[in-house]
Amino acid sequence: MTAQGTVFRYGDNVDTDVIIPARYLTTSDPAELAAHCMEDIDQTFVKRVKKGDMIVADANFGCGSSREHAPIAIQAAGISCVIAKSFARIFYRNAINIGLPILECPEAAAAIQAGHTVSVDFDSGVITDKTTGKTFTAVAFPPFMKELIACGGLVEYVKAKRAGK
Amino acid sequence: MTMTQKILARAAGLPRVEAGQLIEAKLDLVLGNDITAPVAIREFAKTGVARVFDKDKVALVPDHFTPNKDIKAAEQCKILRSFACAQNITNFFDTGEVGVEHALLPERGLVGPGDVVIGADSHTCTYGALGAFSTGVGSTDMAAGMALGTAWFKVPSAMRFVLKNRFTDPWVSGKDVILHIIGLIGVDGALYQSMEYAGDGLNALTVDDRLCIANMAIEAGAKNGIFPVDQATRDFLKEVGRAQYTEFAADADASYTRTIEVDLATLRSTVAFPHLPSNTRLARDSGDVKIDQVVIGSCTNGRLSDMRVAARLLKGRHVAKGVRCIVIPATQKIYLQAMKEGLLEIFINAGAAVSTPTCGPCLGGHMGVLAKGERAMATTNRNFVGRMGHPESEVYLSNPAVAAATAITGRITDANELV
């Protein structure tokens, strides 16, 4: 599986309150959430984002509230992949559980700039900055997480586990 | 093994576990609220599992946008109510019974030493104060937990915090311990790790102090925060009617990635400035920062001891002109006790508004949302951009003494300045 898109670039500690402010959490409808994604730190995000685009950020992306509405909003906004120096742990779990591709890669996070075109090969973990021609390799997922991802997320994993019993 | 590792090993049915190992652990409690549970209930339905694993081990606590703030919030709560009814869930707490979840569950005896708890709320780490392993997860994890009664975990490594001596400043409390630590290590200083507490300073910490400290482990990126079980814990458990539990202690040779000593005697009232909990300064060194609103409450500092501290300062004084002070006892039990002790009367006479239990303003939900350019001093746990309302508003975090003193003066104030 591969993805390619234009990069939206953010800094350290992007918290789930700015990814999707709590005032919109009276719904869990993905499209409604996507309409307000990132609005407290980037009011133009929703207007500019196109299907396949990527978010590249620095350390501790997704910190704060456990709201799964955050990765849901990002996914529904059309983002194909989030690349960061590191992820907050609940966001990391949530993204894998719902099938939003995320890649931990400090080198890519340091080098890739806003507006660059980036492609990602999820099987190899290779990230290519098409604008500069540089390539990076993301931290590999542990085997269990690969299994979760291959299943299509946690719900499918639960189904498979129940069927196996 | 660390204390956390020993609890996880038992829950996974393994003689020992190591940091980094992936395990599947049995769950003693699965929690959700009115924001996260509706998504979990939707995902639960997709699993095809008909019944939750144990109707007594699921807690549904609609505390965020309640009493229902609008039609949409009401619809979310209705999803919980219907699910609780259909699944015959024992621990569903509706308006009238509900309190802020992380104050409510300990008070109900639903969490105790040795338990493994997941909650679709990041402050689920609070229960580590009682010697439980408890951690925040998302809604899909909650759904899988309700379906299977198990969850997968990567066994965390741990940082050790050795607390020494006792508080010497009468207005300093657990909040200052955790703000001091987060200021020291940063908002991802304990990323993926446990924060394990030790040292003779523990003797001087009340259970409320510990609940407050464990509550904000997530604000340092930690998986959990955990305290050894001692007589104070046992007394608390007896009081709330929790009889069955298993005490665990870290092995003497447990390994830690880092040990940090905190001298409680030197701690002073601490304030986290916008927009990160790690952006700390001493209250007395904060300068002339004018405040528009004060919030005293939340899962961090909405307990009876917090109400008492605030009342001690507000008694016979008045909230400054131009400041709105909102006091929110975290549960009905705390509310009732505060009423019996005359604390609510003190708050009202001082010109504060007293609210029924709710998370409300902490997350900019309702009951005290900020306008553009406004500043709040809050005893809550997060001061991110837009956390309490308009993206151009500001939140400062403190203990209840600073919050009450600030309400009286209208600017950030160390309580020692007034007393």
Side-chain angles (χ1 to χ4, degrees), chain B residues 45-375:
Chain B
K46 288 184 198 164
T47 66
V49 175
R51 309 293 300 178
V52 299
F53 79 108
D54 187 332
K55 70 180 182 60
D56 298 327
K57 293 185 176 179
V58 173
L60 296 174
V61 187
D63 57 357
H64 279 60
F65 292 141
T66 56
N68 300 337
K69 81 173 180 98
D70 56 22
I71 295 168
K72 281 180 152 186
E75 296 292 342
Q76 299 286 96
C77 288
K78 197 173 166 189
I79 295 171
L80 271 68
R81 197 173 298 114
S82 305
F83 184 76
C85 186
Q87 295 281 337
N88 200 21
I89 302 286
T90 315
N91 297 303
F92 167 64
F93 302 99
D94 218 333
T95 294
E97 265 193 314
V98 81
V100 175
E101 52 198 331
H102 310 306
L104 184 69
L105 299 194
E107 182 185 288
R108 292 268 175 167
L110 290 171
V111 287
D115 285 357
V116 175
V117 181
I118 61 167
D121 186 279
S122 61
H123 293 107
T124 303
C125 51
T126 307
Y127 318 131
L130 302 174
F133 170 79
S134 66
T135 192
V137 295
S139 295
T140 301
D141 270 315
M142 181 191 172
M146 289 196 295
L148 301 174
T150 59
W152 65 269
F153 297 107
K154 189 157 103 179
V155 175
S157 57
M159 291 171 77
R160 187 164 182 253
F161 296 86
V162 180
L163 309 183
K164 306 196 108 161
N165 302 320
R166 47 180 52 239
F167 300 134
T168 53
D169 183 322
W171 301 108
V172 163
S173 61
K175 185 62 159 286
D176 303 294
V177 177
I178 191 63
L179 286 178
H180 172 78
I181 288 172
I182 296 167
L184 212 61
I185 67 175
V187 290
D188 60 354
L191 194 61
Y192 300 116
Q193 301 191 62
S194 301
M195 298 171 78
E196 296 208 357
Y197 293 90
D200 66 288
L202 294 176
N203 300 325
L205 295 182
T206 64
V207 168
D208 281 5
D209 283 324
R210 299 173 198 190
L211 288 162
C212 173
I213 295 169
N215 173 272
M216 289 187 71
I218 180 71
E219 261 52 72
K223 185 167 215 155
N224 67 316
I226 197 163
F227 283 78
V229 177
D230 64 7
Q231 199 50 46
T233 325
R234 291 177 208 115
D235 291 346
F236 175 88
L237 293 162
K238 195 171 174 194
E239 196 188 309
V240 299
R242 172 75 185 238
Q244 300 289 322
Y245 53 87
T246 313
E247 295 181 14
F248 289 85
D251 291 327
D253 64 348
S255 99
Y256 298 93
T257 56
R258 195 175 164 194
T259 295
I260 293 172
E261 282 193 6
V262 177
D263 183 355
L264 301 182
T266 61
L267 291 184
R268 296 295 173 261
S269 287
T270 302
V271 175
F273 275 52
H275 290 286
L276 285 175
S278 57
N279 191 14
T280 55
R281 293 184 210 174
L282 295 186
R284 64 184 186 201
D285 299 338
S286 291
D288 188 22
V289 182
K290 296 264 188 308
I291 294 291
D292 302 287
Q293 176 173 297
V294 170
V295 174
I296 301 172
S298 84
C299 59
T300 314
N301 282 117
R303 298 188 177 79
L304 188 60
S305 56
D306 303 310
M307 298 295 121
R308 286 175 178 156
V309 166
R312 216 179 303 150
L313 285 157
L314 286 163
K315 189 174 185 178
R317 296 191 175 90
H318 204 277
V319 171
K321 202 167 169 54
V323 176
R324 313 178 298 270
C325 180
I326 302 161
V327 183
I328 313 177
T331 67
Q332 291 286 72
K333 188 179 168 188
I334 296 166
Y335 196 110
L336 192 58
Q337 187 58 30
M339 192 172 83
K340 285 179 183 163
E341 292 183 16
L343 311 182
L344 304 188
E345 196 177 338
I346 292 171
F347 297 143
I348 292 167
N349 282 335
V354 180
S355 159
T356 190
T358 181
C359 302
C362 173
L363 70 158
H366 65 148
M367 294 300 292
V369 175
L370 299 176
K372 182 176 178 176
E374 287 189 329
R375 288 196 189 116

Side-chain angles (χ1 to χ4, degrees), chain A residues 17 32 68 87 93 97 159, chain B residues 72 139-141 152 387:
Chain A
D17 274 279
E32 275 187 68
E68 203 162 289
F87 291 91
R93 280 184 87 106
N97 286 344
K159 278 194 204 166
Chain B
K72 281 180 152 186
S139 295
T140 301
D141 270 315
W152 65 269
R387 172 70 180 181

